[in-house]
Amino acid sequence: MTDRNRPSRLRKVPVWTVVLLTIGAVLTIIGSVLLISGVAAAGGATAQRDGRYLSTPAALFATHTAAITTPEVDGFADTSASRNASFDVGQIRVTADGARPLFIGIAPREDVDRYLASVRHDEVVHVRYDPTSVQYRTVPGAGAAAEDPGAQQFWAESSSGDGRQAVSWRVEPGDWAVVVMNADGTPGVTATMTVGARTDLLAPLAAGFIVGGLVLLVIGIPLTLFGAIGIGRALPDATSPGSKRWPDRAAVAPVRITGRVEGPPSRWLWLVKWILIVPHAAVLAVLWVGFVLATVAAGFAILFTGKYPRPLFQYSVSVLRWSWRVSFYAYSALGTDRYPPFTFGTADYPADLQIDRPERLSRGLVLVKWWLLAFPHYLLLAAFTGGFSVGTSISTTGGWNTNSAPVSVLGVLVLVAAVVLLFTAQYPRGVFDFVLGANRWTYRVAAYGALMRDEYPPFRLDQGPDEPQPPAAHVDQERGSATKR
């Protein structure tokens, strides 16, 4: 066997590459968050031009009691700073429409509590939009009638009358509350309200976040890529010619995902695996930042050279392999109780992933395959792994609250397998084969979307623990082509 065909060995990954990758990934994450926050703040500052407010959608508030109040509205603690500022630190505006004359008031919380102490009223606990729902907490009081709200002297701002009522208030120190009532204080309040806010702090915050985010990204992205390249250089090509693990590459697919159940998994361990995988989740959060940046860098390399740089390719394969091992152990399969190893290379583990590095890749496909061509797969996989939302509606005083949670076909099947394990200590073979097929499809599409192969992923669930063998005619054709080369 020549040196060229001798299987390469995993060299020890230098510590400095891991340190660079970690520091770079953390800086990249923080920088991205700052940049996104800065852009959002800049958009908010632009939306506030000409005295406009950032407002919530209109929501219907209704109660059979005498008043609707908000929780505490905290003002700024530094009185001198808020009074001497050359800009508005904050303003809020409450607008309401009702069929009857309404009263809106803003006052110190303690004054509102004293005013409504003996009056039955509702306090808003939670408001959600799209769909709109409001939760209330009823304060029973002593059953007394509310005094005329317009006659009270403690309101900082108030408005009363027919039609639309609005109050604008510059935020001040202290604990405050917003009160909406019928103008005559009678029970049965129904109003469509919006709440707006504005502050001149958004513009300087936007500038600071954007500048800080860009600085961190300029430092973090190169560090992450240097770390990924260093790790990739230490990784061997596990599918090189002569490899004992995959001796006949012509007889297998270029993207190979395997997973085997080694004896029946534990009845109960799956209940705590969400805790056990926390260390891996932290590591993968860093590795996936490098994966995304490596894919972008490789995209430019492919566009100009037609080749995926080997160090970046090996690094990306290692991240997908690591992710698959953790997924197989955890809630994408629950296929084993053996704890996944903390290693970039291949390991003696019941789950494995291998991807052949192509000699050349299409320069044109790199521009469209990751989004346009892969889009049909993304839609179908969303049904299998992303799922749909189911929810229940809970009636509350004067409103409805809708709670929903995502459900996926893969998640349901893994849950079924977990319940069967709990009672029988057996993993249903048919469920396992389907789960492996769904995961195999997912990782094939991931490799295609990450620009690692040009072969279009098949629209099928290749079920079972091992990759299916191609038809004999296809294998013979591949062998013949390899012989000619």
Side-chain angles (χ1 to χ4, degrees), residues 422-473:
L422 186 62
F423 290 99
T424 69
Q426 297 294 325
Y427 200 128
R429 179 59 185 268
V431 173
F432 177 79
D433 288 346
F434 188 93
V435 166
L436 261 291
N439 280 285
R440 184 170 287 120
W441 189 353
T442 300
Y443 280 92
R444 286 172 178 170
V445 175
Y448 182 77
L451 314 178
M452 304 176 77
R453 300 294 306 187
D454 279 345
E455 297 88 355
Y456 197 67
F459 286 92
R460 65 173 184 261
L461 290 169
D462 285 328
Q463 302 183 46
D466 295 313
E467 283 283 345
Q469 296 293 320

Side-chain angles (χ1 to χ4, degrees), residues 395-416:
S395 178
T396 57
T397 305
W400 290 86
N401 179 40
T402 301
N403 297 318
S404 61
V407 176
S408 67
V409 174
L410 181 61
V412 170
L413 289 175
V414 173
L415 179 60
V416 168

Side-chain angles (χ1 to χ4, degrees), residues 64-110:
H64 298 296
T65 64
I68 299 174
T69 68
T70 65
E72 292 182 358
V73 179
D74 294 330
F76 293 98
D78 189 346
T79 305
S80 61
S82 63
R83 289 177 178 174
N84 297 330
S86 59
F87 46 78
D88 283 339
V89 291
Q91 288 181 311
I92 64 172
R93 182 179 66 182
V94 182
T95 304
D97 288 304
R100 300 168 59 183
L102 289 177
F103 172 88
I104 304 175
I106 299 176
R109 183 76 197 188
E110 60 181 0

Side-chain angles (χ1 to χ4, degrees), residues 4 29 75 101 124 137 149 308 334 337 355 414 426 472:
R4 182 177 180 181
I29 293 173
V124 176
R137 181 180 68 87
Y308 200 121
L334 293 178
D337 289 338
I355 304 176
V414 173
Q426 297 294 325

